[in-house]
Amino acid sequence: MYTTFYDLKERPFEITPDPQFLYLSESHREGLAHLVYSVKERKGFTVITGEVGTGKTTLIQTLLSRLDGKTRTAFVFNPNLGSTDFLQYVCRDFGLSGQNRSKGQAISRLHNFLLDCYARDEKAVLIIDEAQNLDPGLLEEVRLLTNLETPKSKLLQVILVGQPELNRVIDDPRFRQLKQRISLRYHMRPLNEGEMKKYIIYRLIKAGAGDTRLFTPKALRRIFRYSKGIPRLVNVLCDNALLNGYAEEQKMVGDRIIREVIQSLDGGESQKRKNLHLFAASLIGISCLLGVVLLWRLGIFRSLGLQAAQAINGMQDILQRVHDWAFGRILG
């Protein structure tokens, strides 16, 4: 929708894990290096963790795009499976035809497949995304799969990718045998402010932008404060901001548009309306206080035989109506 307006060939801030748009910050470069090294050197177990939206799945897709024909892979993106279903899924993703009627049959076929790969000097890699969701029993099944080995080499490499909760699972004493088998372990960090600015420029260039100055410096600072350097949040914020900028025919996105997008994403009322509410409440509060003092000084409460507290309570409905009227007048 806004691509033509900003002279872009495609939308630069999609949240899909497209390797073409991977910006290699220091953390992402190190994470990818860990993945490539683990596959190349047959490192057995590798664990990559990071906060939601830091680009872990994009790294996986980048790794898969760089593997040669001598590497066979199975990619499990939803590990919420029973052990038998999990093994059958892995067999199918490795390209093993036929149906495994039992867990034992699946393990046997997988073992034979891995031996064939070893004989052909091929690598077999099992990648599990969202691994923090693995059932403890299934995680133990995964560990047992790495028992398939020759005297000199592991037949299956396993890469576990997940959120920081995965570290707590692995550090549980129940999984000490698994932890001892982990050869490489890396935690991805969010972008710092400088990296985030380069990230935005990089994606704009990849999308065909001739001029990458689509966001003012103040807007970029607010984007970083809100996103805290999480790439997915940066994408969501920038995509919505460009859409709003297009709607307002603004060739450069400023701080005001970013603030409005943040308010919309958070689902809250605008700051302007909040300020008006506070102003109206303060105005009515002061008016009520002055009115009560005046009535008390005139002796009206005493002449009617009412206590001050009772009189104030009786005025609540009137005060609410006055508040609504005043607020309506302020909104104009």
Side-chain angles (χ1 to χ4, degrees):
M1 181 178 292
Y2 58 70
T3 51
T4 302
F5 181 76
Y6 289 109
D7 297 321
L8 300 168
K9 295 179 180 177
E10 56 184 311
R11 291 171 61 175
F13 299 106
E14 297 281 14
I15 61 174
T16 52
D18 186 351
Q20 175 188 348
F21 282 90
L22 175 64
Y23 169 71
L24 289 175
S25 67
E26 180 181 354
S27 180
H28 287 78
R29 186 178 296 108
E30 291 177 1
L32 183 59
H34 276 72
L35 290 173
V36 172
Y37 180 75
S38 70
V39 173
K40 182 178 179 181
E41 300 299 327
R42 301 177 185 266
K43 281 298 182 180
F45 262 105
T46 299
V47 175
I48 303 292
T49 56
E51 285 291 345
V52 177
T54 49
K56 302 181 296 298
T57 303
T58 305
L59 279 191
I60 294 174
Q61 295 296 340
T62 303
L63 172 69
L64 293 173
S65 69
R66 295 187 179 186
L67 296 177
D68 56 31
K70 300 286 286 182
T71 303
R72 306 287 295 274
T73 60
F75 179 30
V76 180
F77 56 87
N78 181 8
N80 291 318
L81 300 168
S83 60
T84 301
D85 288 339
F86 176 82
L87 288 168
Q88 290 177 347
Y89 180 92
V90 170
C91 287
R92 286 195 300 270
D93 218 40
F94 271 129
L96 304 181
S97 58
Q99 186 173 0
N100 306 297
R101 299 182 181 277
S102 67
K103 182 190 298 185
Q105 288 177 324
I107 292 175
S108 177
R109 294 191 65 207
L110 183 58
H111 191 193
N112 291 333
F113 164 75
L114 295 175
L115 287 172
D116 289 341
C117 287
Y118 182 76
R120 295 191 299 266
D121 194 29
E122 294 179 347
K123 302 180 181 71
V125 184
L126 170 60
I127 304 171
I128 304 176
D129 200 5
E130 302 293 345
Q132 77 279 352
N133 294 327
L134 279 169
D135 181 85
L138 187 53
L139 185 56
E140 179 64 10
E141 293 276 2
V142 172
R143 181 190 71 81
L144 291 174
L145 287 179
T146 61
N147 287 338
L148 304 175
E149 58 188 359
T150 69
K152 293 186 177 181
S153 177
K154 292 286 185 184
L155 296 180
L156 178 66
Q157 297 165 248
V158 178
I159 298 175
L160 300 178
V161 182
Q163 297 168 22
E165 294 89 335
L166 177 59
N167 286 322
R168 292 197 290 271
V169 173
I170 293 172
D171 291 336
D172 190 302
R174 292 179 297 169
F175 300 111
R176 60 186 182 278
Q177 293 186 69
L178 170 63
K179 186 175 181 179
Q180 290 174 2
R181 296 190 180 201
I182 297 173
S183 302
L184 294 172
R185 195 168 176 177
Y186 185 74
H187 182 75
M188 293 177 58
R189 303 181 302 276
L191 305 171
N192 61 38
E193 188 169 359
E195 289 173 334
M196 188 210 70
K197 293 176 182 178
K198 293 177 182 178
Y199 170 85
I200 290 174
I201 291 173
Y202 178 84
R203 294 189 72 103
L204 288 171
I205 291 174
K206 283 293 183 179
D211 185 358
T212 59
R213 295 170 297 178
L214 298 186
F215 299 90
T216 67
K218 192 173 182 180
L220 290 171
R221 289 194 295 271
R222 189 172 295 277
I223 291 171
F224 180 74
R225 286 198 300 271
Y226 178 78
S227 69
K228 296 180 173 58
I230 301 294
R232 184 182 298 164
L233 291 179
V234 174
N235 287 357
V236 171
L237 193 52
C238 289
D239 184 63
N240 280 274
L242 289 177
L243 181 61
N244 283 21
Y246 161 74
E248 297 183 15
E249 298 185 347
Q250 297 291 319
K251 282 293 186 179
M252 181 172 285
V253 174
D255 180 64
R256 177 186 59 80
I257 291 178
I258 300 299
R259 282 190 283 109
E260 290 176 353
V261 170
I262 290 173
Q263 290 158 7
S264 176
L265 291 174
D266 285 345
E269 60 181 339
S270 69
Q271 190 61 46
K272 179 180 179 181
R273 290 186 63 86
K274 290 179 181 178
N275 290 340
L276 289 173
H277 274 301
L278 290 173
F279 178 75
S282 300
L283 180 63
I284 300 305
I286 293 171
S287 300
C288 291
L289 179 61
L290 292 174
V292 169
V293 171
L294 178 61
L295 292 174
W296 184 261
R297 292 290 298 273
L298 293 174
I300 294 177
F301 288 166
R302 290 190 293 270
S303 66
L304 294 176
L306 298 174
Q307 296 295 324
Q310 292 174 323
I312 293 172
N313 288 336
M315 295 173 64
Q316 284 182 345
D317 183 60
I318 296 174
L319 295 178
Q320 182 61 52
R321 293 184 183 183
V322 173
H323 173 274
D324 293 342
W325 172 83
F327 187 64
R329 296 283 297 196
I330 293 171
L331 287 178

